[in-house]
Amino acid sequence: MVTVNCSLKVDVHNPASTFGIHVTSSPINLKYLEIVIATGELAKYYQPRKSHRTRSVILGGDKVPLYGAGAGFPLTNTGGSVPLTLEFDLITRADVVGKLVRITHHRHVSCQIVVDSTKTKAINLSQSACTYD
């Protein structure tokens, strides 16, 4: 069993000079192998034109069973690191000419993270650390 409590900061940039966007996401999943150990969701919001915003999302999982996958969990009392995957879909919608023209974009975001139990600093991911499909 594993319990996870962490936060994630998501940066969204709207470079458009003529319209704002409505931003939402699918559930944000933190996975160990293929098992979801924590989940959270970005609250829907409107982002004005030519703006940059950072939103925080709380990811949590309480006593999630690992179904045998935890036997290879590399943490010990002296340290160790755990490879995790962060996955979610980011969805943006823009109404360009009133509601006459509606543009929607879907991006699947997947990031590989290695959590080291000996470090307490935040893990910063660069844009190149993730794949955007």
Side-chain angles (χ1 to χ4, degrees):
M1 302 270 220
V2 66
T3 298
V4 177
N5 184 18
C6 60
S7 63
L8 171 70
K9 290 185 180 178
V10 179
D11 290 329
V12 178
H13 176 64
N14 179 13
S17 60
T18 56
F19 56 86
I21 57 176
H22 298 270
V23 180
T24 188
S25 78
S26 66
I28 300 172
N29 294 323
L30 185 63
K31 296 180 178 182
Y32 174 69
L33 300 176
E34 289 298 317
I35 300 170
V36 176
I37 60 172
T39 190
E41 192 163 340
L42 179 69
K44 296 178 183 180
Y45 72 95
Y46 176 79
Q47 185 163 333
R49 62 188 179 93
K50 289 189 174 180
S51 64
H52 183 263
R53 288 209 178 150
T54 301
R55 295 290 181 157
S56 292
V57 179
I58 303 298
L59 301 177
D62 189 34
K63 297 180 184 172
V64 178
L66 294 177
Y67 302 111
F73 219 65
L75 289 180
T76 64
N77 291 338
T78 59
S81 58
V82 179
L84 300 174
T85 305
L86 182 69
E87 288 187 341
F88 63 98
D89 291 324
L90 189 65
I91 303 153
T92 59
R93 189 191 83 226
D95 297 325
V96 180
V97 183
K99 290 191 177 179
L100 186 61
V101 178
R102 180 170 278 181
I103 301 168
T104 305
H105 289 105
H106 294 263
R107 289 284 178 158
H108 179 76
V109 180
S110 179
C111 305
Q112 301 298 321
I113 303 169
V114 177
V115 177
D116 189 344
S117 65
T118 61
K119 297 182 181 177
T120 58
K121 289 187 176 182
I123 299 171
N124 293 321
L125 296 174
S126 65
Q127 193 173 19
S128 62
C130 300
T131 59
Y132 305 92
D133 299 330

